[in-house]
C-alpha cells in the first residue's frame, strides 16, 4: 500500500523495505494517526503482510511498521502512511 493510493480490495497487501538484521516486524493499522486503537497489531517474519479479514470499507486508515532486531530493543516506529479503502 503506497501513501494515499486508492485501493481495489479490503485486504490489500502491505510491503516495506526489509532490514537485514530484522528478526521480525510489527505492523499496526488504525483509524487514527495517533494509533490509540488498532484494527491490526501483528508481528510478522517478513516485510510482507496481508490482513486476514476485511478492513472497513470507505475508510481513511493509517499504518506503520516497527523493526525488531532480536537482542536489541525494538526500533522506532516508521513514518505513518495513509490509504483509503474502497
Amino acid at each position: 500500500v503506497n501513501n494515499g493510493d486508492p485501493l481495489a480490495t479490503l485486504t490489500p497487501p502491505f510491503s516495506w523495505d526489509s532490514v537485514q538484521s530484522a528478526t521480525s516486524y510489527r505492523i499496526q493499522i488504525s483509524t487514527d494517526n495517533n494509533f490509540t486503537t488498532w484494527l491490526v497489531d501483528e508481528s510478522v517474519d517478513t516485510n510482507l503482510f496481508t490482513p486476514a479479514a476485511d478492513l472497513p470499507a470507505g475508510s481513511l486508515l493509517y499504518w506503520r511498521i516497527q523493526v525488531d532486531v532480536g537482542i536489541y530493543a525494538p526500533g522506532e516506529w516508521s513514518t505513518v502512511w495513509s490509504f483509503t479503502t474502497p
Side-chain angles (χ1 to χ4, degrees), residues 16 19 24-30 33-38 40-44 62-68 73-81:
W16 52 91
V19 174
S24 66
Y25 302 88
R26 183 174 171 191
I27 181 170
Q28 289 184 336
I29 303 171
S30 180
N33 63 356
N34 292 319
F35 293 85
T36 55
T37 60
W38 312 283
V40 171
D41 182 24
E42 290 198 32
S43 180
V44 294
Y62 302 90
W63 69 288
R64 65 185 181 177
I65 298 296
Q66 184 181 52
V67 178
D68 187 351
E76 297 293 320
W77 285 104
S78 69
T79 299
V80 174
W81 296 285

Side-chain angles (χ1 to χ4, degrees), residues 38-50:
W38 312 283
L39 300 170
V40 171
D41 182 24
E42 290 198 32
S43 180
V44 294
D45 294 334
T46 69
N47 63 325
L48 304 169
F49 173 78
T50 301

